[in-house]
Amino acid sequence: MSETEEVVVDVEDVGLEEGAALDIEDFDAAVGGGTETKLFGKWSFSDIKVRDISLEDYIACKGPHAVYYPHTAGRYQKRRFRKASCPIVERLVCCLMRKGRNAGKKLMACRIVQHTLEIIHLLTDQNPIQVVVDAIINSGPREDSTRVGGAGVVRRQAVDMSPFRRVNYALYLLATGAREASFRNLKTISECLAEELINAARGSSNSYAIKKKDEIERVSKSNR
């Protein structure tokens, strides 16, 4: 149904008398939408599975985190860890608002993600939100190395990465890979992001995020 199309509901179809008030549940039942929250009015959150138990609390895609549009205008930076409750698709949208020329253009980023989800559905015939969740799970490094020591003697030490940082890093790598692929390229950013997410969800080494993740884990393994 297009944005300009009008919805005409016959009161007899809903079972109301002439002049009676139309409740929101009756309206949803009449237009066949139900009360389920669907992203962009299309993609359901109800059957999304987070297959990594450690990331369940940090990939917000269930219950109150299911949204119609990934633009909640929430103040997620006011307190530490609050952005974990930001819907995961909205976090992907926010990651796309980089470099400077794209800063603050959230509606443009929302439109890019909307087109990306459409492309993913056409190519995979799956729920694109599930593909995004799987890509994030596969792209987050599980181990990293940090600098230890001082007074001129510095060495690298391998450390485990927290689940929260894994999600943050995965989103950063996915968005960076799509941005670099689309730069000076005939492909649009939506096409590049869709390709990046599909490859990452499959664990393919064609994905920029998967390659970077493997590189980070290989370096940290040598620094154990």
Side-chain angles (χ1 to χ4, degrees), residues 88-89 92-93 96 112-120 123-124 126 128-139 170-171 173-175 177-178 189-204 206-210:
I88 195 66
V89 180
L92 179 62
V93 167
L96 292 174
I112 289 168
V113 169
Q114 185 175 5
H115 293 164
T116 298
L117 298 184
E118 296 278 3
I119 294 167
I120 289 172
L123 292 176
T124 64
Q126 292 178 304
I129 305 173
Q130 184 66 61
V131 175
V132 171
V133 169
D134 290 344
I136 290 168
I137 291 170
N138 290 343
S139 303
L171 287 165
L173 290 176
L174 290 166
I189 180 73
S190 301
E191 291 169 343
C192 292
L193 182 58
E195 193 177 334
E196 178 70 28
L197 288 169
I198 290 169
N199 285 332
R202 291 173 178 162
S204 167
N206 291 333
S207 163
Y208 173 91
I210 296 290

Side-chain angles (χ1 to χ4, degrees), residues 70 86 89-98 106 109 113:
C86 179
V89 180
E90 183 172 358
R91 293 197 63 192
L92 179 62
V93 167
C94 293
C95 286
L96 292 174
M97 294 195 294
R98 290 187 56 234
K106 194 161 187 178
V113 169

Side-chain angles (χ1 to χ4, degrees), residues 55-61 65 72 74-92 94-95 106 136 162-172:
L55 301 181
E56 278 182 345
D57 295 336
Y58 299 98
I59 296 180
C61 58
H65 307 300
T72 57
R75 299 194 297 173
Y76 298 108
Q77 298 298 326
K78 281 289 180 185
R79 193 177 295 274
R80 194 179 182 195
F81 300 123
R82 185 174 286 175
K83 65 182 178 182
S85 63
C86 179
I88 195 66
V89 180
E90 183 172 358
R91 293 197 63 192
L92 179 62
C94 293
C95 286
K106 194 161 187 178
I136 290 168
S162 73
F164 190 47
R165 182 164 163 80
R166 277 181 66 189
V167 174
N168 297 347
Y169 217 107
L171 287 165
Y172 164 75

Side-chain angles (χ1 to χ4, degrees), residues 3-23:
E3 294 176 6
T4 55
E5 223 175 301
E6 289 186 7
V7 179
V8 179
V9 180
D10 191 354
V11 288
E12 292 176 5
D13 294 340
V14 191
L16 290 176
E17 296 176 6
E18 197 72 49
L22 183 63
D23 195 17

